[in-house]
Amino acid sequence: MTEKYIFVTHSEENYLKVIYHLSSASPKGVNTNAIAAMMDTKASSVTDMIKKLAEKEMVLYQKYQGVSLTEQGLLAAKMIVRKHRLWEVFLVEKLDFSWDEVHDVAEELEHIKSEKLINKLDAFLNFPSEDPHGDPIPNQYGEIQKTDKQLLSEATVGKNYICVGVKDSSSAFLQYLNKQKIALGTPMKILEKETFDQTLLVEIEGEDKVLSHKIASNLYIN
Amino acid sequence: MTEKYIFVTHSEENYLKVIYHLSSASPKGVNTNAIAAMMDTKASSVTDMIKKLAEKEMVLYQKYQGVSLTEQGLLAAKMIVRKHRLWEVFLVEKLDFSWDEVHDVAEELEHIKSEKLINKLDAFLNFPSEDPHGDPIPNQYGEIQKTDKQLLSEATVGKNYICVGVKDSSSAFLQYLNKQKIALGTPMKILEKETFDQTLLVEIEGEDKVLSHKIASNLYIN
DNA sequence: TTTATTTTTTAGTCTAATCTAAAAATATTT
DNA sequence: AAATATTTTTAGATTAGACTAAAAAATAAA
């Protein structure tokens, strides 16, 4: 394997990460506009950046056809995700942050460039497999352990589940969950599902709670 | 106290830090050239940046007269130093880095912008008063505990001392100290001082060692 | 106190990353 | 298939931070 080291800027890393996240939904090429929306920037800026990333062989790009990550780009993206999630674990487990406070800080920490740092941090945290939102943490080779989980919105009425993750990890949503006393590991039983709007009646910690379809389709259970 | 929040860029922070470090040596105004040398950049770039920092009221600047930090600038600089040194403690104490490996990573970590993060980190590390090189860590108000220490080059022959810090914390120097088995806390007795070149003969951990004047003038003792 | 030297500043250029507005390509309707 | 709408790209401008080369100010030497 010829491993020439390619410097990737802070901004380029952010693009790689976004392309990575969007890739699962559209594996044959991510749209310029989708990237622009995620990055809160303009499509023209995205086009410019994609060209740079293509130069560096981090993405495959054909005009008007969208982008996809090269093997190299994929690994780079996974390493950013790895760093982001490991820092989140650190913030929650060691510094006592709550799960709705970690995102922005991790967003900065993920760009610190030191393999040694991140691998030592990984060991210090005891090689966690998931971040505080239930998302898997890639190992140092970019391997990701698949865990099976489903959305609460797809749950079967009458069955018992455990909350294992969130799809939306915005602080607004996480604070809502805090208020409802829903956390990772929280057991719940699906009591009823309203056919009209798919609202759920769920028993959580002895209390009956109404959860909207929007909520249910952002909570992972098992 | 009117505290308008002023955004300071990564690069501006580096300038503030350098001006802060140079200020102790020349309290009435730091030279453009001195800053340029420290930052490994050109004097013209320094002039440009100083103007920006003056706009933001972080420094006092008069053409051709050098710069000094305002109260605001001083606090900002101290906060960067605080972050740098706390992260160094973290790297050494928690992640098992050695004192000659921490500088570059801390140089990146010091720019992470989160007061909460740094104060939580401080608590997690048990409010250390010094970094791994014996330099004092400013508290969250910018207060610095003065410790008295002197350079080994000024030590008295015949007396016993303890190594309490390094003036130069380059990895080259620190690795030399590792090789000589000199660390913070290492006791030493000054046996002789050569009048011609000020070389010292020092007893360290039962062994007699010859230390050049250059070495001696970069080691703090007490 | 002139002259020479050094330091500092200005003027103009460059690159990365962004933007707006317009043009080109693709996709969708009719 | 032609017309319309949407998406994407190009062209040209802007800003931060840096650079080179030349001018201006301050300092040192004669």
Side-chain angles (χ1 to χ4, degrees):
Chain A
M1 223 182 249
T2 37
E3 289 275 351
K4 51 180 167 176
Y5 178 72
I6 293 170
F7 180 77
V8 180
T9 68
H10 191 112
S11 181
E12 286 168 344
E13 286 191 340
N14 283 332
Y15 276 91
L16 287 174
K17 188 180 54 166
V18 163
I19 295 166
Y20 173 70
H21 286 313
L22 291 170
S23 288
S24 50
S26 52
K28 51 200 60 189
V30 179
N31 305 323
T32 302
N33 265 356
I35 298 169
M38 279 279 264
M39 306 262 316
D40 204 21
T41 185
K42 297 298 150 88
S44 54
S45 310
V46 175
T47 303
D48 285 353
M49 184 55 90
I50 282 169
K51 285 178 181 169
K52 281 176 213 159
L53 289 171
E55 286 273 309
K56 295 185 178 180
E57 297 181 57
M58 303 303 266
V59 299
L60 296 173
Y61 169 59
Q62 300 220 93
K63 275 189 194 177
Y64 296 99
Q65 302 312 129
V67 263
S68 56
L69 295 168
T70 60
E71 206 170 316
Q72 201 184 186
L74 178 63
L75 183 61
K78 281 171 166 177
M79 286 302 116
I80 299 159
V81 170
R82 168 172 163 77
K83 289 194 263 181
H84 183 101
R85 292 180 181 167
L86 281 173
W87 280 116
E88 286 193 341
V89 174
F90 171 72
L91 294 172
V92 169
E93 307 248 300
K94 304 296 182 182
L95 300 195
D96 216 37
F97 278 61
S98 91
W99 69 344
D100 58 296
E101 300 174 311
V102 296
H103 190 270
D104 293 352
V105 181
E107 204 78 353
E108 290 191 58
L109 286 163
E110 73 189 4
H111 299 291
I112 304 292
K113 289 187 184 336
S114 165
E115 257 193 70
K116 176 162 188 171
L117 170 63
I118 207 64
N119 292 334
K120 287 274 192 179
L121 181 66
D122 196 11
F124 179 60
L125 298 171
N126 242 294
F127 306 101
S129 57
E130 288 176 4
D131 78 5
H133 312 111
D135 294 315
I137 299 176
N139 71 13
Q140 64 179 311
Y141 309 109
E143 295 156 356
I144 298 172
Q145 223 180 329
K146 267 268 149 57
T147 57
D148 60 335
K149 55 188 177 188
Q150 59 181 317
L151 287 172
L152 177 58
S153 52
E154 260 106 60
T156 311
V157 174
K159 281 200 173 172
N160 287 289
Y161 297 96
I162 288 171
C163 173
V164 297
V166 294
K167 190 172 171 195
D168 171 6
S169 51
S170 69
S171 60
F173 181 56
L174 296 172
Q175 280 166 17
Y176 169 85
L177 295 178
N178 290 343
K179 214 164 54 189
Q180 296 291 337
K181 301 217 186 74
I182 299 171
L184 296 199
T186 302
M188 49 183 72
K189 182 176 186 177
I190 317 300
L191 301 175
E192 282 175 35
K193 184 173 198 169
E194 186 58 57
T195 47
F196 178 64
D197 63 357
Q198 297 169 279
T199 292
L200 293 173
L201 185 65
V202 182
E203 187 190 321
I204 297 171
E205 314 275 4
E207 279 182 69
D208 289 5
K209 288 183 172 155
V210 176
L211 301 179
S212 74
H213 181 63
K214 183 164 182 191
I215 300 296
S217 54
N218 278 299
L219 255 190
Y220 288 116
I221 55 169
N222 211 331
Chain B
M1 222 183 245
T2 37
E3 290 275 349
K4 51 181 169 174
Y5 178 72
I6 294 171
F7 180 76
V8 180
T9 67
H10 191 111
S11 181
E12 287 167 343
E13 287 191 339
N14 283 331
Y15 276 91
L16 287 175
K17 189 179 53 165
V18 163
I19 295 166
Y20 172 70
H21 287 312
L22 291 171
S23 289
S24 49
S26 52
K28 49 201 62 188
V30 179
N31 304 323
T32 304
N33 265 356
I35 299 169
M38 279 279 265
M39 304 264 315
D40 203 20
T41 186
K42 297 299 150 90
S44 54
S45 310
V46 175
T47 303
D48 285 351
M49 183 55 91
I50 281 170
K51 285 179 182 169
K52 281 177 211 158
L53 289 171
E55 287 273 308
K56 295 186 178 181
E57 296 181 55
M58 302 303 266
V59 299
L60 296 174
Y61 169 57
Q62 298 220 96
K63 274 191 194 175
Y64 297 99
Q65 302 311 128
V67 263
S68 56
L69 295 168
T70 60
E71 206 171 316
Q72 203 183 184
L74 178 63
L75 184 61
K78 281 171 166 176
M79 286 303 116
I80 299 158
V81 169
R82 168 172 162 78
K83 289 194 262 182
H84 183 100
R85 293 179 180 167
L86 281 173
W87 280 116
E88 287 194 339
V89 173
F90 171 72
L91 294 172
V92 168
E93 307 249 299
K94 304 296 181 182
L95 299 196
D96 216 37
F97 278 62
S98 91
W99 69 343
D100 58 297
E101 299 174 311
V102 295
H103 190 270
D104 293 354
V105 180
E107 205 77 352
E108 289 191 58
L109 286 163
E110 73 189 5
H111 299 291
I112 304 293
K113 288 186 185 338
S114 166
E115 256 193 71
K116 176 163 188 167
L117 170 63
I118 207 64
N119 291 334
K120 288 275 194 179
L121 181 66
D122 196 10
F124 179 60
L125 298 171
N126 243 294
F127 306 102
S129 56
E130 289 177 4
D131 79 4
H133 312 110
D135 294 315
I137 298 175
N139 71 13
Q140 65 180 309
Y141 309 109
E143 295 156 356
I144 298 172
Q145 224 181 325
K146 267 267 149 59
T147 57
D148 61 336
K149 57 189 178 187
Q150 58 181 319
L151 288 171
L152 177 57
S153 52
E154 258 106 61
T156 310
V157 175
K159 281 199 173 173
N160 287 288
Y161 297 95
I162 288 171
C163 173
V164 296
V166 293
K167 191 172 170 194
D168 171 7
S169 51
S170 70
S171 60
F173 182 55
L174 297 172
Q175 280 167 17
Y176 168 84
L177 295 178
N178 289 344
K179 215 165 54 190
Q180 297 291 340
K181 302 218 187 73
I182 299 171
L184 296 198
T186 302
M188 49 183 72
K189 181 177 185 178
I190 318 299
L191 302 176
E192 283 174 36
K193 185 173 197 171
E194 185 59 56
T195 47
F196 179 64
D197 63 356
Q198 296 169 281
T199 293
L200 294 173
L201 185 65
V202 182
E203 187 190 322
I204 297 170
E205 312 276 4
E207 279 183 70
D208 290 4
K209 288 185 172 157
V210 176
L211 300 180
S212 74
H213 181 64
K214 182 164 182 189
I215 300 297
S217 55
N218 278 299
L219 255 190
Y220 288 117
I221 55 170
N222 211 330

